[in-house]
Each structure stands twice: as structure tokens, then as C-alpha cells.
């Protein structure tokens, strides 16, 4: 589709990645503390910290993306250079959605790493294989919009298996919390 569309995709991806990186960093900064709590078998502390950071990171990502989207919509018609430099607001929304799902999946990886495990590695391989197969095809057939839809689809396909793997991993290390009373020891 040419260098102009590639540039739009690159600039938009850079903006969304900046929000993603700050949001992910919020949780990743506490990874050593979560790992120490897991090593001490203080699972309440570890899980409290993880789920708190999980919510904060996704919330920060959502607020950052909403602000970026509003800024794009407001400047789209006012600044004539914007349409030539960035993806449209609808294409950017698809990109933000895909990266938000990816952020959630990456945060689940932090949980596994707290136990010095990589339980979701196979999903990273699946994602890579799907991306290698689908993204170039989507780019040649539908340009940046097709790539964003393919990226969203790849992430959506992996949500359910990733969630099931997370729950299984969590039960393996901590037992089934649904049958434990708060006063019952682990």
C-alpha cells in the first residue's frame, strides 16, 4: 500500500505502544516483589499485589487510549497533517483494542514469572506463528486496516486458551480457592 500507509501505521503504533509500555511498566515494576512473596509462599500478598497492578495497568491503558482517541478525533479535522501522518480514529481503535488484549495477556505472564515459570510460552509461539502467517497476507490484501483486524483477531483467539491456562496454573500453585473459607489455612 506504499510508504504513506506504512508511515501512518508506524506513527500510530508508536503512540499506542507508548501507552502500552507505561501501563505494562506499572505492573512489571512490582515483579520482584511479587516473586519474593511467591518464594516466601505468601500467596495472599503476591496475589493482592498482582491483581491490584493488573487492574491499575489495564485502567491506565484504557484512560491513556481514551485520551489519545479524543485527541485524534478533535485534531483530525482541525490539523490537516494528521490524516496524512496517523491511522484514522477507527483504525486506531482496532489497534488499541488489540494491544489492550495483548497487555492483559502479558500481565498474566508476569503472574507465572512470579513462580519462575513460563506457563504461557506456547501461546507466545502460537501468536508468533499466526502473526507470521496472517499479517503479511492481511497487509497485501487490505493494508493497515487489514493488519489491525488480523492482529485483533489473533489476540482474541488466544484470550480463551490463555485464560484457561492461567486458571489452571493458578490452581496448580495455590489450590482451588473457591472451596476454601477465609480462615482455612492453605
Amino acid at each position: 500500500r506504499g510508504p504513506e500507509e506504512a508511515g501512518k501505521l508506524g506513527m500510530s503504533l508508536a503512540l499506542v505502544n507508548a501507552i502500552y509500555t507505561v501501563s505494562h511498566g506499572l505492573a512489571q515494576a512490582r515483579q520482584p516483589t511479587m516473586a519474593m512473596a511467591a518464594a516466601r509462599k505468601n500467596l495472599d500478598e503476591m496475589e493482592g499485589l498482582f491483581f491490584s497492578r493488573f487492574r491499575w495497568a489495564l485502567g491506565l491503558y484504557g484512560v491513556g487510549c481514551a485520551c489519545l482517541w479524543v485527541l485524534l478525533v478533535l485534531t483530525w479535522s482541525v490539523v490537516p497533517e494528521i490524516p496524512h501522518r496517523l491511522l484514522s480514529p477507527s483504525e486506531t481503535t482496532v489497534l488499541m483494542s488489540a494491544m489492550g488484549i495483548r497487555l492483559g495477556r502479558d500481565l498474566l505472564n508476569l503472574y507465572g514469572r512470579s513462580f519462575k515459570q513460563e506457563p504461557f510460552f506456547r501461546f507466545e509461539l502460537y501468536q508468533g506463528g499466526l502473526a507470521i502467517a496472517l499479517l503479511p497476507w492481511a497487509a497485501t490484501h487490505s493494508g493497515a486496516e487489514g493488519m489491525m483486524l488480523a492482529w485483533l483477531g489473533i489476540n482474541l483467539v488466544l484470550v480463551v486458551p490463555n485464560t484457561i491456562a492461567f486458571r489452571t496454573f493458578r490452581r496448580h500453585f495455590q489450590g482451588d480457592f473457591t472451596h476454601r473459607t477465609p480462615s482455612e489455612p492453605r
Side-chain angles (χ1 to χ4, degrees):
R1 300 279 172 140
E4 185 176 329
E5 190 158 346
K8 288 179 180 183
L9 176 60
M11 291 293 288
S12 297
L13 188 57
L15 291 172
V16 174
N17 257 345
I19 299 167
Y20 173 95
T21 302
V22 169
S23 301
H24 189 270
L26 177 70
Q28 193 167 12
R30 300 301 290 190
Q31 179 65 40
T33 307
M34 289 189 291
M36 287 187 291
R40 289 189 312 264
K41 304 231 185 286
N42 188 342
L43 303 175
D44 287 335
E45 177 189 350
M46 185 277 205
E47 284 210 333
L49 186 56
F50 170 76
F51 286 112
S52 168
R53 291 300 167 142
F54 185 86
R55 285 188 299 274
W56 272 101
L58 288 179
L60 179 62
Y61 181 80
V63 168
C65 285
C67 290
L68 176 61
W69 192 85
V70 167
L71 184 65
L72 277 177
V73 169
L74 292 175
T75 59
W76 190 260
S77 59
V78 177
V79 182
E81 293 83 26
I82 293 292
H84 300 292
R85 304 257 186 241
L86 299 170
L87 295 173
S88 71
S90 63
E91 292 169 327
T92 304
T93 300
V94 173
L95 174 61
M96 289 174 180
S97 300
M99 292 300 288
I101 293 167
R102 177 66 201 170
L103 174 62
R105 292 180 50 234
D106 281 346
L107 294 173
L108 295 182
N109 284 331
L110 292 178
Y111 185 93
R113 290 184 188 128
S114 296
F115 294 94
K116 296 186 180 182
Q117 303 279 323
E118 290 289 338
F120 310 111
F121 181 71
R122 69 180 180 272
F123 298 114
E124 301 304 315
L125 293 176
Y126 299 153
Q127 177 183 317
L130 289 169
I132 288 170
L134 293 177
L135 293 181
W137 176 82
T140 58
H141 287 81
S142 339
E145 183 179 17
M147 286 182 71
M148 294 307 92
L149 289 170
W151 183 237
L152 178 60
I154 290 167
N155 280 286
L156 282 171
V157 163
L158 292 173
V159 165
V160 171
N162 220 141
T163 302
I164 291 169
F166 172 73
R167 288 179 180 209
T168 302
F169 179 80
R170 186 170 174 234
R171 268 194 301 271
H172 171 72
F173 272 93
Q174 297 157 348
D176 187 2
F177 287 99
T178 59
H179 297 96
R180 187 178 70 82
T181 63
S183 61
E184 186 180 323
R186 293 186 194 264

